[in-house]
Structure formats: C-alpha cells, structure tokens
Coordinates of all heavy atoms in Angstrom, one line a residue:
M18 N -0.7 45.1 11.9 CA 0.8 45.2 12.0 C 1.4 44.0 11.4 O 1.0 42.9 11.7 CB 1.1 45.4 13.5 CG 2.5 45.3 13.8 SD 2.9 45.3 15.6 CE 2.4 43.7 16.1
I19 N 2.4 44.2 10.6 CA 3.2 43.0 10.1 C 4.1 42.4 11.2 O 4.8 43.2 11.9 CB 4.1 43.5 8.9 CG1 3.2 43.9 7.7 CG2 5.0 42.3 8.5 CD1 2.3 42.9 7.1
V20 N 3.9 41.2 11.4 CA 4.7 40.5 12.4 C 5.9 39.8 11.8 O 7.0 39.8 12.3 CB 3.9 39.4 13.2 CG1 4.7 38.6 14.1 CG2 2.7 40.2 13.9
C21 N 5.7 39.1 10.7 CA 6.7 38.4 9.9 C 6.9 39.1 8.6 O 6.1 39.0 7.7 CB 6.3 36.9 9.7 SG 7.5 36.0 8.7
S22 N 8.0 39.7 8.5 CA 8.3 40.5 7.2 C 8.7 39.6 6.1 O 8.5 39.9 5.0 CB 9.3 41.6 7.5 OG 10.5 41.1 8.0
C23 N 9.4 38.5 6.4 CA 9.8 37.5 5.4 C 8.6 37.0 4.6 O 8.6 36.8 3.4 CB 10.5 36.3 5.9 SG 12.2 36.7 6.6
Q24 N 7.5 36.7 5.3 CA 6.3 36.1 4.7 C 5.1 37.0 4.7 O 4.0 36.6 4.3 CB 6.0 34.8 5.4 CG 7.0 33.7 5.2 CD 7.1 33.2 3.8 OE1 6.3 33.5 3.0 NE2 8.2 32.5 3.5
T25 N 5.3 38.3 5.1 CA 4.2 39.3 5.2 C 3.0 38.7 5.9 O 1.9 38.7 5.4 CB 3.8 39.7 3.7 OG1 5.0 39.9 3.0 CG2 3.1 41.1 3.8
I26 N 3.2 38.3 7.1 CA 2.2 37.8 8.0 C 1.9 38.9 9.0 O 2.8 39.3 9.8 CB 2.5 36.5 8.7 CG1 2.8 35.4 7.6 CG2 1.5 36.1 9.7 CD1 3.3 34.1 8.1
S27 N 0.6 39.2 9.2 CA 0.2 40.3 10.1 C -0.3 39.6 11.4 O -0.6 38.4 11.4 CB -0.9 41.2 9.5 OG -2.1 40.4 9.4
D28 N -0.5 40.4 12.4 CA -1.1 39.9 13.7 C -2.6 39.5 13.4 O -3.0 38.5 14.0 CB -1.1 41.0 14.8 CG -1.7 42.3 14.4 OD1 -1.8 42.6 13.2 OD2 -2.1 43.0 15.3
K29 N -3.2 40.1 12.5 CA -4.6 39.7 12.1 C -4.6 38.3 11.5 O -5.5 37.5 11.7 CB -5.3 40.7 11.2 CG -5.6 42.0 11.9 CD -6.3 43.0 11.0 CE -6.5 44.3 11.8 NZ -7.1 45.4 10.9
D30 N -3.6 38.0 10.6 CA -3.5 36.7 10.0 C -3.3 35.7 11.1 O -3.9 34.6 11.0 CB -2.3 36.7 9.0 CG -2.4 37.6 7.8 OD1 -3.6 37.9 7.4 OD2 -1.4 38.1 7.4
I31 N -2.4 36.0 12.0 CA -2.2 35.0 13.1 C -3.4 34.7 13.9 O -3.8 33.6 14.2 CB -1.0 35.5 14.0 CG1 0.3 35.6 13.3 CG2 -0.9 34.7 15.3 CD1 1.4 36.3 14.0
H32 N -4.2 35.8 14.3 CA -5.4 35.6 15.0 C -6.4 34.8 14.2 O -7.1 33.9 14.8 CB -6.0 36.9 15.5 CG -5.1 37.6 16.5 ND1 -4.8 37.0 17.7 CD2 -4.5 38.8 16.5 CE1 -4.0 37.8 18.4 NE2 -3.8 38.9 17.7
A33 N -6.5 35.1 12.9 CA -7.5 34.4 12.1 C -7.2 32.9 12.0 O -8.1 32.1 12.1 CB -7.5 35.0 10.7
A34 N -5.9 32.6 11.9 CA -5.5 31.2 11.8 C -5.7 30.5 13.1 O -6.2 29.4 13.1 CB -4.0 31.1 11.5
I35 N -5.4 31.1 14.3 CA -5.7 30.5 15.6 C -7.2 30.3 15.7 O -7.6 29.2 16.2 CB -5.2 31.4 16.7 CG1 -3.6 31.4 16.7 CG2 -5.7 31.0 18.1 CD1 -3.0 32.5 17.7
N36 N -8.0 31.3 15.4 CA -9.5 31.1 15.6 C -10.0 30.0 14.7 O -10.9 29.3 15.1 CB -10.1 32.5 15.3 CG -9.8 33.5 16.3 OD1 -9.3 33.2 17.4 ND2 -9.9 34.8 16.0
W37 N -9.5 30.0 13.5 CA -9.9 28.9 12.6 C -9.5 27.5 13.1 O -10.4 26.6 13.1 CB -9.3 29.2 11.2 CG -9.6 28.1 10.2 CD1 -10.8 27.9 9.5 CD2 -8.7 27.0 9.8 NE1 -10.7 26.8 8.7 CE2 -9.4 26.2 8.9 CE3 -7.4 26.7 10.1 CZ2 -8.9 25.1 8.3 CZ3 -6.9 25.6 9.6 CH2 -7.6 24.8 8.6
M38 N -8.3 27.4 13.5 CA -7.8 26.1 14.1 C -8.7 25.7 15.3 O -9.0 24.5 15.4 CB -6.4 26.1 14.4 CG -5.5 26.0 13.2 SD -3.7 25.8 13.6 CE -3.3 27.5 13.5
R39 N -8.9 26.6 16.2 CA -9.7 26.3 17.4 C -11.1 25.9 17.1 O -11.7 25.0 17.7 CB -9.6 27.5 18.4 CG -10.3 27.2 19.7 CD -9.7 26.0 20.5 NE -8.3 26.4 20.9 CZ -7.3 25.5 21.0 NH1 -7.5 24.2 20.7 NH2 -6.1 25.8 21.5
A40 N -11.7 26.6 16.1 CA -13.1 26.3 15.7 C -13.1 24.9 15.0 O -14.1 24.2 15.2 CB -13.6 27.4 14.7
S41 N -12.0 24.5 14.3 CA -12.0 23.3 13.6 C -11.8 22.1 14.6 O -12.3 21.0 14.3 CB -10.9 23.3 12.5 OG -11.1 24.3 11.6
D42 N -10.9 22.3 15.6 CA -10.6 21.2 16.5 C -10.3 21.9 17.9 O -9.2 22.5 18.1 CB -9.4 20.5 16.0 CG -9.0 19.3 16.9 OD1 -9.6 19.2 18.0 OD2 -8.0 18.6 16.5
E43 N -11.2 21.7 18.8 CA -11.1 22.4 20.1 C -10.0 21.8 21.0 O -9.6 22.4 21.9 CB -12.4 22.4 20.9 CG -12.9 21.0 21.3 CD -14.2 21.1 22.0 OE1 -15.0 22.0 21.7 OE2 -14.5 20.2 22.8
S44 N -9.4 20.6 20.6 CA -8.4 20.0 21.4 C -7.0 20.1 20.8 O -6.0 19.6 21.3 CB -8.7 18.6 21.7 OG -8.7 17.8 20.5
T45 N -6.9 20.8 19.7 CA -5.6 20.9 19.0 C -4.6 21.8 19.8 O -5.0 22.8 20.5 CB -5.7 21.4 17.6 OG1 -4.5 21.2 16.9 CG2 -6.1 22.9 17.5
I46 N -3.3 21.4 19.7 CA -2.3 22.3 20.3 C -1.8 23.2 19.1 O -1.4 22.7 18.1 CB -1.1 21.4 20.8 CG1 -1.5 20.4 21.8 CG2 0.1 22.3 21.2 CD1 -1.8 21.0 23.2
I47 N -1.9 24.5 19.3 CA -1.5 25.4 18.3 C -0.1 25.9 18.5 O 0.3 26.4 19.5 CB -2.5 26.6 18.3 CG1 -4.0 26.1 18.0 CG2 -2.2 27.6 17.2 CD1 -5.0 27.1 18.2
T48 N 0.7 25.7 17.4 CA 2.1 26.1 17.4 C 2.4 27.1 16.3 O 1.6 27.2 15.4 CB 3.0 24.9 17.2 OG1 2.7 24.4 15.9 CG2 2.7 23.8 18.3
P49 N 3.5 27.8 16.4 CA 3.8 28.7 15.3 C 3.9 28.0 14.0 O 3.5 28.5 12.9 CB 5.2 29.3 15.7 CG 5.2 29.2 17.2 CD 4.4 28.0 17.5
G50 N 4.5 26.8 14.0 CA 4.6 26.0 12.7 C 3.2 25.7 12.1 O 3.0 25.7 10.9
K51 N 2.2 25.4 13.0 CA 0.9 25.1 12.5 C 0.3 26.3 11.9 O -0.5 26.3 10.9 CB 0.0 24.5 13.6 CG 0.3 23.1 13.9 CD -0.7 22.6 15.0 CE -0.5 21.1 15.3 NZ -1.5 20.7 16.3
I52 N 0.6 27.5 12.5 CA 0.0 28.7 11.9 C 0.6 29.0 10.6 O -0.1 29.4 9.6 CB 0.3 29.9 12.9 CG1 -0.6 29.7 14.2 CG2 -0.1 31.2 12.3 CD1 -0.3 30.7 15.3
Y53 N 2.0 28.9 10.4 CA 2.6 29.1 9.1 C 2.0 28.1 8.1 O 1.6 28.5 7.0 CB 4.1 28.8 9.2 CG 4.9 30.0 9.6 CD1 5.3 30.2 10.9 CD2 5.2 31.0 8.6 CE1 6.0 31.3 11.3 CE2 5.9 32.1 9.0 CZ 6.3 32.3 10.3 OH 7.1 33.4 10.6
H54 N 1.8 26.9 8.5 CA 1.2 25.9 7.6 C -0.2 26.2 7.2 O -0.6 26.1 6.0 CB 1.3 24.5 8.3 CG 0.8 23.4 7.4 ND1 1.6 22.9 6.4 CD2 -0.3 22.7 7.3 CE1 1.0 21.9 5.8 NE2 -0.2 21.8 6.3
A55 N -1.0 26.7 8.2 CA -2.4 27.1 7.9 C -2.5 28.2 6.9 O -3.4 28.3 6.1 CB -3.1 27.4 9.2
L56 N -1.4 29.1 7.0 CA -1.4 30.2 6.1 C -0.7 29.9 4.7 O -0.6 30.8 3.9 CB -0.7 31.4 6.8 CG -1.4 32.0 8.0 CD1 -0.5 33.0 8.7 CD2 -2.8 32.6 7.7
G57 N -0.3 28.7 4.6 CA 0.4 28.3 3.4 C 1.8 28.8 3.2 O 2.2 29.0 2.1
K58 N 2.5 29.1 4.3 CA 3.8 29.7 4.3 C 4.8 28.9 5.2 O 4.4 28.1 6.0 CB 3.7 31.2 4.7 CG 2.7 32.0 3.8 CD 2.6 33.4 4.3 CE 1.6 34.1 3.3 NZ 1.6 35.5 3.4
T59 N 6.0 29.2 5.0 CA 7.1 28.7 5.9 C 8.0 29.8 6.4 O 8.3 30.7 5.6 CB 7.9 27.6 5.1 OG1 8.5 28.2 4.0 CG2 7.1 26.4 4.7
P60 N 8.4 29.7 7.6 CA 9.3 30.7 8.1 C 10.7 30.7 7.4 O 11.1 29.6 7.0 CB 9.5 30.4 9.6 CG 9.1 28.9 9.7 CD 8.2 28.6 8.6
E61 N 11.3 31.8 7.3 CA 12.6 31.9 6.7 C 13.7 32.2 7.7 O 14.5 31.3 8.0 CB 12.6 32.9 5.5 CG 11.8 32.4 4.3 CD 11.8 33.4 3.2 OE1 12.7 34.2 3.1 OE2 10.9 33.4 2.4
C62 N 13.8 33.4 8.1 CA 14.9 33.8 9.0 C 14.7 33.4 10.5 O 15.6 33.3 11.3 CB 15.3 35.2 8.9 SG 14.0 36.3 9.6
G63 N 13.4 33.4 10.9 CA 13.1 33.1 12.3 C 13.2 34.4 13.2 O 12.9 34.3 14.4
G64 N 13.6 35.5 12.7 CA 13.8 36.7 13.4 C 12.5 37.2 14.1 O 12.6 38.0 15.0
C65 N 11.4 36.8 13.6 CA 10.1 37.3 14.1 C 9.5 36.5 15.2 O 8.5 36.8 15.8 CB 9.1 37.3 13.0 SG 8.8 35.7 12.2
M66 N 10.2 35.4 15.6 CA 9.5 34.4 16.5 C 9.1 35.0 17.8 O 8.0 34.6 18.4 CB 10.4 33.2 16.8 CG 10.3 32.1 15.7 SD 8.6 31.6 15.5 CE 8.4 31.9 13.8
K67 N 9.9 35.9 18.4 CA 9.5 36.4 19.7 C 8.2 37.2 19.6 O 7.3 37.1 20.4 CB 10.6 37.3 20.2 CG 10.5 37.8 21.6 CD 11.7 38.5 22.1 CE 11.5 38.9 23.6 NZ 12.7 39.6 24.1
L68 N 8.1 38.1 18.6 CA 6.9 38.8 18.3 C 5.8 37.9 17.8 O 4.6 38.1 18.2 CB 7.2 39.9 17.3 CG 6.0 40.9 17.0 CD1 5.5 41.6 18.2 CD2 6.5 41.9 15.9
F69 N 6.1 36.9 17.1 CA 5.1 36.0 16.6 C 4.4 35.3 17.7 O 3.2 35.2 17.8 CB 5.8 35.0 15.6 CG 4.8 34.2 14.7 CD1 4.7 34.6 13.4 CD2 4.1 33.1 15.2 CE1 3.8 33.9 12.6 CE2 3.3 32.4 14.3 CZ 3.1 32.8 13.0
V70 N 5.2 34.8 18.7 CA 4.7 34.1 19.8 C 3.9 35.0 20.7 O 2.9 34.7 21.3 CB 5.8 33.3 20.6 CG1 5.3 32.8 21.9 CG2 6.4 32.2 19.7
A71 N 4.4 36.3 20.9 CA 3.7 37.2 21.7 C 2.3 37.5 21.1 O 1.3 37.7 21.8 CB 4.5 38.5 21.8
S72 N 2.3 37.6 19.8 CA 1.0 37.8 19.1 C 0.0 36.6 19.3 O -1.2 36.8 19.6 CB 1.2 38.0 17.6 OG 1.9 39.2 17.4
M73 N 0.6 35.4 19.3 CA -0.2 34.2 19.5 C -0.7 34.3 21.0 O -1.9 34.0 21.2 CB 0.7 33.0 19.4 CG 1.1 32.6 18.0 SD 2.2 31.2 17.9 CE 1.2 29.9 18.6
R74 N 0.1 34.6 21.9 CA -0.3 34.6 23.3 C -1.4 35.6 23.7 O -2.1 35.5 24.7 CB 0.9 34.8 24.2 CG 1.8 33.6 24.3 CD 2.9 33.8 25.2 NE 3.7 32.5 25.3 CZ 4.9 32.4 25.7 NH1 5.6 33.5 26.0 NH2 5.5 31.2 25.7
S75 N -1.5 36.6 22.8 CA -2.6 37.6 23.1 C -4.0 37.2 22.6 O -4.9 37.8 22.8 CB -2.2 38.9 22.4 OG -2.3 38.8 21.0
N76 N -4.0 36.0 22.0 CA -5.3 35.4 21.5 C -5.9 34.5 22.6 O -5.2 33.5 23.0 CB -5.1 34.7 20.2 CG -6.4 34.3 19.6 OD1 -7.2 33.7 20.2 ND2 -6.6 34.6 18.3
S77 N -7.1 34.7 23.0 CA -7.7 33.9 24.1 C -8.0 32.5 23.6 O -8.2 31.6 24.5 CB -8.9 34.6 24.6 OG -9.9 34.7 23.6
N78 N -8.0 32.2 22.3 CA -8.3 30.9 21.8 C -7.0 30.0 21.8 O -7.1 28.9 21.4 CB -8.8 30.9 20.4 CG -10.3 31.2 20.4 OD1 -11.0 30.9 21.3 ND2 -10.8 31.9 19.4
L79 N -5.9 30.5 22.3 CA -4.6 29.8 22.2 C -4.5 28.8 23.4 O -3.7 27.9 23.3 CB -3.4 30.7 22.3 CG -2.1 30.1 22.1 CD1 -2.0 29.5 20.7 CD2 -1.0 31.0 22.4
E80 N -5.4 28.9 24.4 CA -5.3 28.0 25.6 C -5.0 26.5 25.2 O -5.6 26.0 24.3 CB -6.6 28.1 26.3 CG -6.8 29.4 27.0 CD -8.1 29.3 27.9 OE1 -8.8 28.3 27.8 OE2 -8.3 30.3 28.5
V81 N -4.2 25.9 26.1 CA -4.1 24.5 25.9 C -5.3 23.8 26.4 O -5.9 24.2 27.5 CB -2.8 24.0 26.8 CG1 -2.7 22.5 26.8 CG2 -1.6 24.6 26.3
P82 N -5.9 22.8 25.7 CA -7.1 22.2 26.1 C -7.0 21.7 27.6 O -5.9 21.1 28.0 CB -7.3 21.1 25.1 CG -6.5 21.5 23.9 CD -5.4 22.3 24.4
F83 N -8.1 21.8 28.3 CA -8.1 21.4 29.8 C -7.5 20.0 30.0 O -6.7 19.8 30.9 CB -9.5 21.6 30.3 CG -9.5 21.3 31.8 CD1 -9.1 22.2 32.7 CD2 -9.9 20.1 32.3 CE1 -9.1 22.0 34.1 CE2 -10.0 19.8 33.6 CZ -9.5 20.8 34.5
E84 N -7.9 19.0 29.2 CA -7.5 17.6 29.4 C -6.1 17.4 29.2 O -5.5 16.4 29.6 CB -8.4 16.7 28.6 CG -8.2 16.8 27.1 CD -9.2 17.9 26.5 OE1 -9.8 18.7 27.2 OE2 -9.3 17.9 25.3
L85 N -5.4 18.4 28.5 CA -4.0 18.2 28.2 C -3.1 19.0 29.2 O -1.9 18.9 29.1 CB -3.7 18.6 26.8 CG -4.4 17.8 25.7 CD1 -4.0 18.4 24.3 CD2 -4.1 16.3 25.8
R86 N -3.7 19.7 30.1 CA -2.9 20.6 31.0 C -2.3 19.7 32.1 O -2.9 18.8 32.6 CB -3.8 21.6 31.7 CG -4.3 22.6 30.7 CD -5.1 23.7 31.4 NE -5.8 24.4 30.3 CZ -6.8 25.3 30.6 NH1 -7.2 25.5 31.8 NH2 -7.4 25.9 29.6
G87 N -1.1 20.0 32.5 CA -0.5 19.4 33.7 C 0.0 18.0 33.4 O 0.4 17.2 34.3
L88 N 0.1 17.6 32.1 CA 0.5 16.2 31.8 C 2.0 16.0 32.2 O 2.3 14.9 32.7 CB 0.4 15.9 30.3 CG -1.1 15.8 29.8 CD1 -1.1 15.5 28.3 CD2 -1.8 14.7 30.6
K89 N 2.8 16.9 32.1 CA 4.3 16.8 32.4 C 4.4 16.6 33.9 O 5.1 15.7 34.4 CB 5.1 18.0 32.0 CG 6.5 17.9 32.2 CD 7.3 19.0 31.6 CE 8.8 18.8 31.7 NZ 9.5 19.9 31.1
A90 N 3.6 17.3 34.7 CA 3.7 17.2 36.2 C 3.2 15.8 36.6 O 3.7 15.1 37.5 CB 2.9 18.3 36.9
K91 N 2.1 15.3 35.9 CA 1.5 14.0 36.2 C 2.6 12.9 35.9 O 2.7 11.9 36.6 CB 0.3 13.8 35.4 CG -0.9 14.6 35.9 CD -2.1 14.4 35.1 CE -3.2 15.3 35.5 NZ -4.4 15.2 34.6
Q92 N 3.3 13.0 34.8 CA 4.3 12.0 34.4 C 5.4 12.0 35.4 O 5.9 10.9 35.8 CB 4.9 12.4 33.0 CG 3.9 12.0 31.9 CD 4.6 12.4 30.5 OE1 5.5 13.2 30.5 NE2 4.0 11.8 29.5
Q93 N 5.8 13.1 36.0 CA 6.9 13.2 37.0 C 6.4 12.5 38.3 O 7.2 11.9 38.9 CB 7.3 14.6 37.2 CG 8.1 15.2 36.0 CD 8.4 16.7 36.2 OE1 7.8 17.3 37.0 NE2 9.2 17.2 35.3
N94 N 5.1 12.6 38.6 CA 4.6 12.0 39.8 C 4.6 10.5 39.7 O 4.5 9.8 40.7 CB 3.3 12.5 40.1 CG 3.3 14.0 40.6 OD1 4.4 14.4 41.0 ND2 2.3 14.7 40.4
W95 N 4.6 9.9 38.5 CA 4.5 8.5 38.3 C 5.8 7.8 38.6 O 5.8 6.6 38.7 CB 4.0 8.2 36.9 CG 2.6 8.6 36.6 CD1 1.6 8.9 37.5 CD2 2.0 8.7 35.3 NE1 0.5 9.2 36.9 CE2 0.6 9.1 35.6 CE3 2.4 8.4 34.0 CZ2 -0.3 9.3 34.5 CZ3 1.5 8.6 33.0 CH2 0.2 9.0 33.3
R96 N 6.9 8.5 38.5 CA 8.2 7.9 38.7 C 8.5 7.6 40.2 O 8.0 8.0 41.1 CB 9.3 8.9 38.2 CG 9.2 9.0 36.7 CD 10.3 9.9 36.3 NE 10.1 10.1 34.8 CZ 10.7 11.0 34.1 NH1 11.6 11.7 34.6 NH2 10.5 11.1 32.8
Ligands
FES4 S1 10.7 37.7 9.7 FE1 9.5 35.9 10.1 S2 10.7 34.3 9.2 FE2 11.8 36.1 8.8

C-alpha cells in the first residue's frame, strides 16, 4: 500500500527501512525523517504523516531502546 504519494513510499518501504536501521544500530531512535533519509527521499506536503507514523508504529522494531525509556520522567524527578 502506498503511504506517501508524493514520494511513492509504501508501507513495505517503511518497514524495510525500520528493520535495516534497527539491525544497523539497536539503540537508534527511529523517526519519520530518518526513514525518508534512509530511502533517499524528502517529504513534500506532509499530508501522509498520520498514516506514515501509524505504519511505523505497526513495526515491532520501532521500540525505543530500553536504556532511553523514561528519561523525561527521570529529569522531572531531579528538579
Ligand atoms: S504524501 Fe507524503 S509528503 Fe506528500
């Protein structure tokens, strides 16, 4: 299914990019911008972002690395 019609990016492209990034660096934070960059493309209208992020969230490799979870809550407790 095409997710981004401006750049012809499919849900399979998104999953492949996420899986590749996670295999390359298990602690990386994966963002839509990094996926566009990995695919050699840039977003144009941004109209696909809701579906783009939903496609990302359906990938089990998207998880935030364990050591980076809860950092915001920890920072608030330091005050
Ligand atoms: S549809 Fe994805 S940037 Fe336009």
Side-chain angles (χ1 to χ4, degrees):
M18 171 183 74
I19 295 296
V20 174
C21 175
S22 56
C23 289
Q24 295 292 348
T25 319
I26 296 173
S27 70
D28 56 338
K29 289 181 182 176
D30 295 330
I31 292 169
H32 291 302
I35 290 171
N36 295 340
W37 175 78
M38 281 188 268
R39 185 59 70 214
S41 301
D42 182 356
E43 66 184 28
S44 65
T45 191
I46 302 288
I47 299 172
T48 64
K51 284 184 175 180
I52 292 174
Y53 274 98
H54 186 75
L56 296 172
K58 300 180 178 190
T59 55
E61 289 183 21
C62 72
C65 60
M66 273 308 121
K67 191 173 180 179
L68 182 57
F69 198 99
V70 171
S72 296
M73 290 174 63
R74 286 183 175 157
S75 71
N76 188 310
S77 61
N78 280 328
L79 187 67
E80 289 183 357
V81 173
F83 183 78
E84 63 273 13
L85 299 178
R86 293 181 194 168
L88 291 178
K89 188 172 182 179
K91 288 178 186 173
Q92 285 179 339
Q93 290 172 346
N94 290 336
W95 291 346
R96 292 181 186 170

